[in-house]
Amino acid sequence: MKNRLDLPARLDHQGARQLYAALLSMPPGDTCLAAGQVSFVGGLALQLLLAAAAKWRAEGHQFTCQPMSPAFMDDVTRLGVDPKEFQEDQGSCR
């Protein structure tokens, strides 16, 4: 099964809470997060994304963010993570 989730524009504290709830409710399977409309990524949301990516991949599933907005990539980089951490060999979320 392939899951798809459109990320909110702001992944601040409230956005991180929404992201956490959405990730908890997802069934197992490959997951694609559409980050093309993201204008801000905070540290808490980034930690959630990293933890989710590690969990999904450890269970043998893909976890990717495609497309990524320039703001998403800039904020992730500013927080010390390479945006490639959220890319895998697949196209944009469909």
Side-chain angles (χ1 to χ4, degrees):
M1 171 178 278
K2 184 166 184 174
N3 301 306
R4 183 180 190 281
L5 175 65
D6 291 320
L7 294 177
R10 290 192 55 82
L11 287 170
D12 52 10
H13 182 73
Q14 184 61 32
R17 291 173 58 103
Q18 294 169 355
L19 174 61
Y20 178 71
L23 291 171
L24 278 179
S25 68
M26 278 191 183
D30 293 345
T31 298
C32 184
L33 306 181
Q37 300 301 314
V38 175
S39 61
F40 175 81
V41 180
L44 181 59
L46 180 58
Q47 289 176 346
L48 280 171
L49 290 170
L50 290 169
K55 179 183 184 296
W56 261 253
R57 292 171 182 156
E59 294 174 355
H61 303 293
Q62 289 187 336
F63 187 94
T64 188
C65 293
Q66 291 291 334
M68 289 187 261
S69 69
F72 179 90
M73 291 188 292
D74 289 346
D75 285 347
V76 167
T77 301
R78 176 181 50 83
L79 292 167
V81 176
D82 187 339
K84 291 179 184 174
E85 187 69 33
F86 300 110
Q87 293 177 331
E88 294 196 29
D89 294 332
Q90 62 184 34
S92 63
C93 297
R94 291 181 174 68

